[in-house]
Amino acid sequence: MTNTQPGWELYRSFLAVVREGSLSGAARALDITQPTVGRHIDALEQALGIALFTRSQTGLNATEGALALVPHAEAMAAAAEALQRAASGEAEEDRGTVRITASEIIGTEVLPPILAAFHEQHPRIAVELLLSNRAEDLLRRDADIAVRMVRPTQAALVAKKIGTIHLGLHAHPSYIEKHGAPKSVEEITSHPIIGFDREPSVRRLEGLGIPISRDLFAFRCDSDVAQYAAQRAGFGLGFCQIALAKRDGLVPILPGLIGFQLDVWVAMHEDLKTSRRMRLMFDHLGAHIAAYIASENR
């Protein structure tokens, strides 16, 4: 092993290859060329004197030595992100960048007007939005603040419960006009149902004695946004947030009998508490999402 100390750019490429499983995937994630990623991995292996990856039919597999490095590389990534965010705006000024992560539906149907209102108040703060359901986004520093439908459990996060969103089975008025609405739970399966393709969704109908499988659905897609678009187009029955259904004029199906609820949490890494722009966004999201939830009852 040489005395040369590898720089962060080498570990950055290493971490991307571990996460993506290939040089090409890492290159896309980092927005650099594949040969550059390859040179970084070769240089890191030479500097450390160990093999980091083995090739397989599915891509590159990290060796035991590489896996031992991952926690340290993650720490370096967190430090690099913290430096970048500190440089993007003074801690006590309302300028810089705030990166938010949220699910597809929250990010596309709920947050846009909330973020537009924030921008009107704080035009010097740039907003980035990552649509993802991964709970580890904040710990990996992929985002600063997360809006989640499950309580964050990581000790390093500051989390606040905003309220509870209720969901129910709905259909577009055009569908009801053509096909009618089911009058009982048993009649539900005689209608086209919108649901998942490859990724099993929440078992929303199992409690009613309706077995859940891919074959149950007439429209199959793993995108919640696409499912909701099909619902609004009159394809069939689907689950959605009651507040969205009221906004878009959808008709509830067997209200009070079929439905479920999800708690809404806003969370951020505890290291960001001293940043003014993070606190401004955290508080803004909490207040406006609470107002959105209250719209269920209006």
Side-chain angles (χ1 to χ4, degrees), residues 219-257:
F219 182 92
R220 303 163 185 158
C221 184
D222 292 330
S223 167
D224 292 336
V225 170
Q227 288 185 23
Y228 190 53
Q231 193 173 350
R232 287 183 294 183
F235 191 99
L237 313 183
F239 280 93
C240 69
Q241 298 176 20
I242 291 175
L244 290 182
K246 287 185 176 182
R247 184 197 72 182
D248 295 335
L250 302 185
V251 178
I253 304 298
L254 301 175
L257 182 60

mmCIF file of all heavy atoms in Angstrom, residues 219-257:
data_model
loop_
_atom_site.group_PDB
_atom_site.id
_atom_site.type_symbol
_atom_site.label_atom_id
_atom_site.label_comp_id
_atom_site.label_asym_id
_atom_site.label_seq_id
_atom_site.Cartn_x
_atom_site.Cartn_y
_atom_site.Cartn_z
ATOM 1 N N PHE A 219 -56.166 -2.117 -13.667
ATOM 2 C CA PHE A 219 -55.119 -1.163 -14.031
ATOM 3 C C PHE A 219 -53.975 -1.366 -13.056
ATOM 4 O O PHE A 219 -54.163 -1.224 -11.853
ATOM 5 C CB PHE A 219 -55.640 0.279 -13.946
ATOM 6 C CG PHE A 219 -54.615 1.309 -14.348
ATOM 7 C CD1 PHE A 219 -54.546 1.755 -15.654
ATOM 8 C CD2 PHE A 219 -53.722 1.831 -13.424
ATOM 9 C CE1 PHE A 219 -53.603 2.716 -16.026
ATOM 10 C CE2 PHE A 219 -52.783 2.782 -13.786
ATOM 11 C CZ PHE A 219 -52.725 3.224 -15.097
ATOM 12 N N ARG A 220 -52.791 -1.692 -13.579
ATOM 13 C CA ARG A 220 -51.646 -2.037 -12.730
ATOM 14 C C ARG A 220 -50.487 -1.090 -12.999
ATOM 15 O O ARG A 220 -50.017 -0.974 -14.124
ATOM 16 C CB ARG A 220 -51.201 -3.475 -12.981
ATOM 17 C CG ARG A 220 -52.296 -4.509 -12.758
ATOM 18 C CD ARG A 220 -51.965 -5.831 -13.400
ATOM 19 N NE ARG A 220 -53.075 -6.779 -13.268
ATOM 20 C CZ ARG A 220 -53.255 -7.827 -14.060
ATOM 21 N NH1 ARG A 220 -52.392 -8.079 -15.036
ATOM 22 N NH2 ARG A 220 -54.298 -8.614 -13.873
ATOM 23 N N CYS A 221 -50.031 -0.450 -11.950
ATOM 24 C CA CYS A 221 -48.890 0.459 -12.076
ATOM 25 C C CYS A 221 -48.316 0.695 -10.686
ATOM 26 O O CYS A 221 -49.066 0.820 -9.715
ATOM 27 C CB CYS A 221 -49.318 1.783 -12.705
ATOM 28 S SG CYS A 221 -47.946 2.926 -12.988
ATOM 29 N N ASP A 222 -46.998 0.771 -10.575
ATOM 30 C CA ASP A 222 -46.357 0.986 -9.281
ATOM 31 C C ASP A 222 -46.155 2.461 -8.969
ATOM 32 O O ASP A 222 -45.586 2.801 -7.938
ATOM 33 C CB ASP A 222 -45.010 0.248 -9.229
ATOM 34 C CG ASP A 222 -45.188 -1.262 -9.216
ATOM 35 O OD1 ASP A 222 -46.224 -1.723 -8.700
ATOM 36 O OD2 ASP A 222 -44.312 -1.971 -9.740
ATOM 37 N N SER A 223 -46.607 3.333 -9.856
ATOM 38 C CA SER A 223 -46.546 4.778 -9.601
ATOM 39 C C SER A 223 -47.864 5.245 -9.013
ATOM 40 O O SER A 223 -48.921 5.102 -9.638
ATOM 41 C CB SER A 223 -46.254 5.546 -10.893
ATOM 42 O OG SER A 223 -46.486 6.935 -10.722
ATOM 43 N N ASP A 224 -47.821 5.825 -7.815
ATOM 44 C CA ASP A 224 -49.041 6.351 -7.204
ATOM 45 C C ASP A 224 -49.625 7.488 -8.035
ATOM 46 O O ASP A 224 -50.848 7.668 -8.094
ATOM 47 C CB ASP A 224 -48.751 6.841 -5.787
ATOM 48 C CG ASP A 224 -48.426 5.708 -4.837
ATOM 49 O OD1 ASP A 224 -48.841 4.572 -5.115
ATOM 50 O OD2 ASP A 224 -47.747 5.950 -3.819
ATOM 51 N N VAL A 225 -48.762 8.271 -8.667
ATOM 52 C CA VAL A 225 -49.228 9.377 -9.497
ATOM 53 C C VAL A 225 -50.003 8.848 -10.705
ATOM 54 O O VAL A 225 -51.075 9.364 -11.055
ATOM 55 C CB VAL A 225 -48.043 10.250 -9.948
ATOM 56 C CG1 VAL A 225 -48.486 11.249 -11.008
ATOM 57 C CG2 VAL A 225 -47.450 10.986 -8.763
ATOM 58 N N ALA A 226 -49.471 7.807 -11.346
ATOM 59 C CA ALA A 226 -50.151 7.220 -12.505
ATOM 60 C C ALA A 226 -51.473 6.580 -12.087
ATOM 61 O O ALA A 226 -52.470 6.646 -12.819
ATOM 62 C CB ALA A 226 -49.243 6.204 -13.180
ATOM 63 N N GLN A 227 -51.487 5.936 -10.927
ATOM 64 C CA GLN A 227 -52.732 5.353 -10.438
ATOM 65 C C GLN A 227 -53.794 6.428 -10.225
ATOM 66 O O GLN A 227 -54.957 6.259 -10.605
ATOM 67 C CB GLN A 227 -52.483 4.606 -9.125
ATOM 68 C CG GLN A 227 -51.716 3.305 -9.271
ATOM 69 C CD GLN A 227 -51.602 2.562 -7.943
ATOM 70 O OE1 GLN A 227 -52.397 2.767 -7.036
ATOM 71 N NE2 GLN A 227 -50.605 1.702 -7.834
ATOM 72 N N TYR A 228 -53.385 7.543 -9.632
ATOM 73 C CA TYR A 228 -54.345 8.605 -9.372
ATOM 74 C C TYR A 228 -54.813 9.245 -10.682
ATOM 75 O O TYR A 228 -55.982 9.634 -10.814
ATOM 76 C CB TYR A 228 -53.735 9.658 -8.445
ATOM 77 C CG TYR A 228 -54.744 10.661 -7.932
ATOM 78 C CD1 TYR A 228 -55.914 10.238 -7.311
ATOM 79 C CD2 TYR A 228 -54.535 12.023 -8.080
ATOM 80 C CE1 TYR A 228 -56.855 11.144 -6.859
ATOM 81 C CE2 TYR A 228 -55.471 12.942 -7.626
ATOM 82 C CZ TYR A 228 -56.631 12.499 -7.015
ATOM 83 O OH TYR A 228 -57.562 13.393 -6.574
ATOM 84 N N ALA A 229 -53.931 9.348 -11.657
ATOM 85 C CA ALA A 229 -54.312 9.882 -12.965
ATOM 86 C C ALA A 229 -55.350 8.981 -13.626
ATOM 87 O O ALA A 229 -56.320 9.466 -14.233
ATOM 88 C CB ALA A 229 -53.082 10.029 -13.862
ATOM 89 N N ALA A 230 -55.163 7.661 -13.506
ATOM 90 C CA ALA A 230 -56.138 6.727 -14.069
ATOM 91 C C ALA A 230 -57.482 6.847 -13.367
ATOM 92 O O ALA A 230 -58.545 6.748 -13.987
ATOM 93 C CB ALA A 230 -55.604 5.299 -13.952
ATOM 94 N N GLN A 231 -57.431 7.072 -12.069
ATOM 95 C CA GLN A 231 -58.653 7.242 -11.290
ATOM 96 C C GLN A 231 -59.418 8.479 -11.757
ATOM 97 O O GLN A 231 -60.638 8.445 -11.965
ATOM 98 C CB GLN A 231 -58.293 7.342 -9.811
ATOM 99 C CG GLN A 231 -59.457 7.220 -8.861
ATOM 100 C CD GLN A 231 -58.974 7.156 -7.414
ATOM 101 O OE1 GLN A 231 -57.784 7.015 -7.155
ATOM 102 N NE2 GLN A 231 -59.894 7.257 -6.487
ATOM 103 N N ARG A 232 -58.709 9.582 -11.932
ATOM 104 C CA ARG A 232 -59.357 10.819 -12.375
ATOM 105 C C ARG A 232 -59.837 10.721 -13.821
ATOM 106 O O ARG A 232 -60.735 11.465 -14.233
ATOM 107 C CB ARG A 232 -58.389 11.995 -12.226
ATOM 108 C CG ARG A 232 -58.158 12.412 -10.782
ATOM 109 C CD ARG A 232 -57.262 13.624 -10.678
ATOM 110 N NE ARG A 232 -55.915 13.337 -11.141
ATOM 111 C CZ ARG A 232 -54.919 14.199 -11.104
ATOM 112 N NH1 ARG A 232 -55.118 15.417 -10.636
ATOM 113 N NH2 ARG A 232 -53.721 13.865 -11.537
ATOM 114 N N ALA A 233 -59.243 9.807 -14.600
ATOM 115 C CA ALA A 233 -59.665 9.620 -15.987
ATOM 116 C C ALA A 233 -60.904 8.743 -16.095
ATOM 117 O O ALA A 233 -61.432 8.559 -17.199
ATOM 118 C CB ALA A 233 -58.525 9.020 -16.799
ATOM 119 N N GLY A 234 -61.364 8.189 -14.960
ATOM 120 C CA GLY A 234 -62.563 7.363 -14.982
ATOM 121 C C GLY A 234 -62.320 5.908 -15.289
ATOM 122 O O GLY A 234 -63.233 5.199 -15.719
ATOM 123 N N PHE A 235 -61.093 5.428 -15.046
ATOM 124 C CA PHE A 235 -60.789 4.026 -15.341
ATOM 125 C C PHE A 235 -61.549 3.078 -14.420
ATOM 126 O O PHE A 235 -62.018 2.029 -14.854
ATOM 127 C CB PHE A 235 -59.279 3.779 -15.226
ATOM 128 C CG PHE A 235 -58.848 2.445 -15.755
ATOM 129 C CD1 PHE A 235 -58.317 2.355 -17.036
ATOM 130 C CD2 PHE A 235 -58.961 1.289 -15.005
ATOM 131 C CE1 PHE A 235 -57.913 1.134 -17.545
ATOM 132 C CE2 PHE A 235 -58.557 0.067 -15.500
ATOM 133 C CZ PHE A 235 -58.037 -0.022 -16.779
ATOM 134 N N GLY A 236 -61.625 3.411 -13.136
ATOM 135 C CA GLY A 236 -62.286 2.521 -12.189
ATOM 136 C C GLY A 236 -62.144 3.008 -10.767
ATOM 137 O O GLY A 236 -61.998 4.211 -10.518
ATOM 138 N N LEU A 237 -62.181 2.076 -9.826
ATOM 139 C CA LEU A 237 -62.119 2.401 -8.413
ATOM 140 C C LEU A 237 -60.668 2.423 -7.941
ATOM 141 O O LEU A 237 -59.856 1.592 -8.348
ATOM 142 C CB LEU A 237 -62.883 1.359 -7.586
ATOM 143 C CG LEU A 237 -64.284 0.949 -8.059
ATOM 144 C CD1 LEU A 237 -64.902 -0.029 -7.066
ATOM 145 C CD2 LEU A 237 -65.166 2.155 -8.259
ATOM 146 N N GLY A 238 -60.358 3.355 -7.051
ATOM 147 C CA GLY A 238 -59.010 3.421 -6.518
ATOM 148 C C GLY A 238 -58.985 4.152 -5.191
ATOM 149 O O GLY A 238 -59.912 4.901 -4.857
ATOM 150 N N PHE A 239 -57.939 3.921 -4.428
ATOM 151 C CA PHE A 239 -57.773 4.601 -3.149
ATOM 152 C C PHE A 239 -57.044 5.926 -3.360
ATOM 153 O O PHE A 239 -56.114 6.017 -4.164
ATOM 154 C CB PHE A 239 -56.969 3.738 -2.171
ATOM 155 C CG PHE A 239 -57.787 2.671 -1.515
ATOM 156 C CD1 PHE A 239 -57.854 1.396 -2.059
ATOM 157 C CD2 PHE A 239 -58.504 2.943 -0.366
ATOM 158 C CE1 PHE A 239 -58.612 0.410 -1.460
ATOM 159 C CE2 PHE A 239 -59.268 1.962 0.243
ATOM 160 C CZ PHE A 239 -59.327 0.692 -0.301
ATOM 161 N N CYS A 240 -57.470 6.934 -2.631
ATOM 162 C CA CYS A 240 -56.777 8.214 -2.656
ATOM 163 C C CYS A 240 -57.113 8.982 -1.389
ATOM 164 O O CYS A 240 -58.030 8.620 -0.641
ATOM 165 C CB CYS A 240 -57.163 9.037 -3.897
ATOM 166 S SG CYS A 240 -58.856 9.650 -3.880
ATOM 167 N N GLN A 241 -56.368 10.047 -1.154
ATOM 168 C CA GLN A 241 -56.604 10.880 0.019
ATOM 169 C C GLN A 241 -57.954 11.585 -0.107
ATOM 170 O O GLN A 241 -58.317 12.079 -1.181
ATOM 171 C CB GLN A 241 -55.484 11.912 0.160
ATOM 172 C CG GLN A 241 -54.115 11.297 0.366
ATOM 173 C CD GLN A 241 -53.018 12.333 0.408
ATOM 174 O OE1 GLN A 241 -53.268 13.509 0.652
ATOM 175 N NE2 GLN A 241 -51.784 11.901 0.166
ATOM 176 N N ILE A 242 -58.695 11.621 0.990
ATOM 177 C CA ILE A 242 -60.023 12.226 0.976
ATOM 178 C C ILE A 242 -59.943 13.698 0.579
ATOM 179 O O ILE A 242 -60.790 14.203 -0.162
ATOM 180 C CB ILE A 242 -60.705 12.049 2.348
ATOM 181 C CG1 ILE A 242 -61.041 10.565 2.559
ATOM 182 C CG2 ILE A 242 -61.957 12.901 2.458
ATOM 183 C CD1 ILE A 242 -61.614 10.249 3.925
ATOM 184 N N ALA A 243 -58.916 14.402 1.050
ATOM 185 C CA ALA A 243 -58.778 15.814 0.692
ATOM 186 C C ALA A 243 -58.574 15.987 -0.809
ATOM 187 O O ALA A 243 -59.130 16.909 -1.416
ATOM 188 C CB ALA A 243 -57.617 16.434 1.464
ATOM 189 N N LEU A 244 -57.793 15.119 -1.436
ATOM 190 C CA LEU A 244 -57.593 15.193 -2.878
ATOM 191 C C LEU A 244 -58.884 14.862 -3.618
ATOM 192 O O LEU A 244 -59.213 15.496 -4.629
ATOM 193 C CB LEU A 244 -56.489 14.231 -3.316
ATOM 194 C CG LEU A 244 -55.052 14.565 -2.908
ATOM 195 C CD1 LEU A 244 -54.087 13.531 -3.478
ATOM 196 C CD2 LEU A 244 -54.667 15.962 -3.367
ATOM 197 N N ALA A 245 -59.607 13.850 -3.122
ATOM 198 C CA ALA A 245 -60.863 13.464 -3.758
ATOM 199 C C ALA A 245 -61.859 14.624 -3.742
ATOM 200 O O ALA A 245 -62.531 14.900 -4.742
ATOM 201 C CB ALA A 245 -61.447 12.250 -3.055
ATOM 202 N N LYS A 246 -61.939 15.328 -2.617
ATOM 203 C CA LYS A 246 -62.837 16.486 -2.539
ATOM 204 C C LYS A 246 -62.386 17.582 -3.497
ATOM 205 O O LYS A 246 -63.207 18.204 -4.178
ATOM 206 C CB LYS A 246 -62.874 17.009 -1.106
ATOM 207 C CG LYS A 246 -63.643 16.125 -0.137
ATOM 208 C CD LYS A 246 -63.734 16.780 1.241
ATOM 209 C CE LYS A 246 -64.593 15.947 2.188
ATOM 210 N NZ LYS A 246 -64.727 16.602 3.514
ATOM 211 N N ARG A 247 -61.092 17.813 -3.559
ATOM 212 C CA ARG A 247 -60.571 18.850 -4.449
ATOM 213 C C ARG A 247 -60.891 18.553 -5.901
ATOM 214 O O ARG A 247 -61.238 19.459 -6.675
ATOM 215 C CB ARG A 247 -59.056 18.956 -4.258
ATOM 216 C CG ARG A 247 -58.385 20.058 -5.059
ATOM 217 C CD ARG A 247 -56.881 19.839 -5.147
ATOM 218 N NE ARG A 247 -56.550 18.722 -6.037
ATOM 219 C CZ ARG A 247 -55.305 18.302 -6.258
ATOM 220 N NH1 ARG A 247 -54.287 18.878 -5.632
ATOM 221 N NH2 ARG A 247 -55.082 17.295 -7.084
ATOM 222 N N ASP A 248 -60.786 17.285 -6.293
ATOM 223 C CA ASP A 248 -60.933 16.907 -7.695
ATOM 224 C C ASP A 248 -62.323 16.369 -8.028
ATOM 225 O O ASP A 248 -62.548 15.892 -9.150
ATOM 226 C CB ASP A 248 -59.867 15.863 -8.061
ATOM 227 C CG ASP A 248 -58.459 16.436 -7.985
ATOM 228 O OD1 ASP A 248 -58.321 17.665 -8.131
ATOM 229 O OD2 ASP A 248 -57.511 15.656 -7.772
ATOM 230 N N GLY A 249 -63.241 16.419 -7.072
ATOM 231 C CA GLY A 249 -64.621 16.032 -7.355
ATOM 232 C C GLY A 249 -64.847 14.553 -7.535
ATOM 233 O O GLY A 249 -65.780 14.143 -8.250
ATOM 234 N N LEU A 250 -64.048 13.717 -6.886
ATOM 235 C CA LEU A 250 -64.258 12.269 -6.973
ATOM 236 C C LEU A 250 -65.372 11.828 -6.022
ATOM 237 O O LEU A 250 -65.652 12.483 -5.018
ATOM 238 C CB LEU A 250 -62.962 11.520 -6.652
ATOM 239 C CG LEU A 250 -61.750 11.844 -7.535
ATOM 240 C CD1 LEU A 250 -60.581 10.943 -7.176
ATOM 241 C CD2 LEU A 250 -62.097 11.718 -9.016
ATOM 242 N N VAL A 251 -65.982 10.697 -6.352
ATOM 243 C CA VAL A 251 -67.121 10.194 -5.582
ATOM 244 C C VAL A 251 -66.651 9.124 -4.608
ATOM 245 O O VAL A 251 -66.003 8.149 -5.022
ATOM 246 C CB VAL A 251 -68.188 9.602 -6.522
ATOM 247 C CG1 VAL A 251 -69.365 9.035 -5.713
ATOM 248 C CG2 VAL A 251 -68.665 10.650 -7.513
ATOM 249 N N PRO A 252 -66.948 9.264 -3.304
ATOM 250 C CA PRO A 252 -66.548 8.226 -2.342
ATOM 251 C C PRO A 252 -67.352 6.951 -2.543
ATOM 252 O O PRO A 252 -68.545 6.989 -2.823
ATOM 253 C CB PRO A 252 -66.840 8.877 -0.981
ATOM 254 C CG PRO A 252 -67.881 9.903 -1.271
ATOM 255 C CD PRO A 252 -67.608 10.409 -2.661
ATOM 256 N N ILE A 253 -66.667 5.816 -2.384
ATOM 257 C CA ILE A 253 -67.295 4.502 -2.511
ATOM 258 C C ILE A 253 -67.394 3.868 -1.127
ATOM 259 O O ILE A 253 -66.377 3.679 -0.452
ATOM 260 C CB ILE A 253 -66.476 3.580 -3.450
ATOM 261 C CG1 ILE A 253 -66.282 4.243 -4.820
ATOM 262 C CG2 ILE A 253 -67.143 2.223 -3.573
ATOM 263 C CD1 ILE A 253 -67.557 4.523 -5.568
ATOM 264 N N LEU A 254 -68.616 3.563 -0.695
ATOM 265 C CA LEU A 254 -68.866 2.970 0.619
ATOM 266 C C LEU A 254 -68.114 3.728 1.724
ATOM 267 O O LEU A 254 -67.332 3.140 2.482
ATOM 268 C CB LEU A 254 -68.463 1.486 0.630
ATOM 269 C CG LEU A 254 -69.179 0.598 -0.396
ATOM 270 C CD1 LEU A 254 -68.597 -0.817 -0.374
ATOM 271 C CD2 LEU A 254 -70.675 0.567 -0.141
ATOM 272 N N PRO A 255 -68.322 5.040 1.823
ATOM 273 C CA PRO A 255 -67.609 5.824 2.849
ATOM 274 C C PRO A 255 -67.956 5.343 4.251
ATOM 275 O O PRO A 255 -69.101 4.979 4.528
ATOM 276 C CB PRO A 255 -68.121 7.246 2.603
ATOM 277 C CG PRO A 255 -69.440 7.075 1.912
ATOM 278 C CD PRO A 255 -69.301 5.843 1.066
ATOM 279 N N GLY A 256 -66.937 5.365 5.109
ATOM 280 C CA GLY A 256 -67.119 4.899 6.474
ATOM 281 C C GLY A 256 -66.938 3.407 6.624
ATOM 282 O O GLY A 256 -66.724 2.904 7.733
ATOM 283 N N LEU A 257 -67.031 2.682 5.519
ATOM 284 C CA LEU A 257 -66.868 1.226 5.572
ATOM 285 C C LEU A 257 -65.495 0.799 5.066
ATOM 286 O O LEU A 257 -64.896 -0.133 5.593
ATOM 287 C CB LEU A 257 -67.958 0.551 4.727
ATOM 288 C CG LEU A 257 -67.970 -0.979 4.713
ATOM 289 C CD1 LEU A 257 -68.156 -1.532 6.125
ATOM 290 C CD2 LEU A 257 -69.060 -1.499 3.787
#
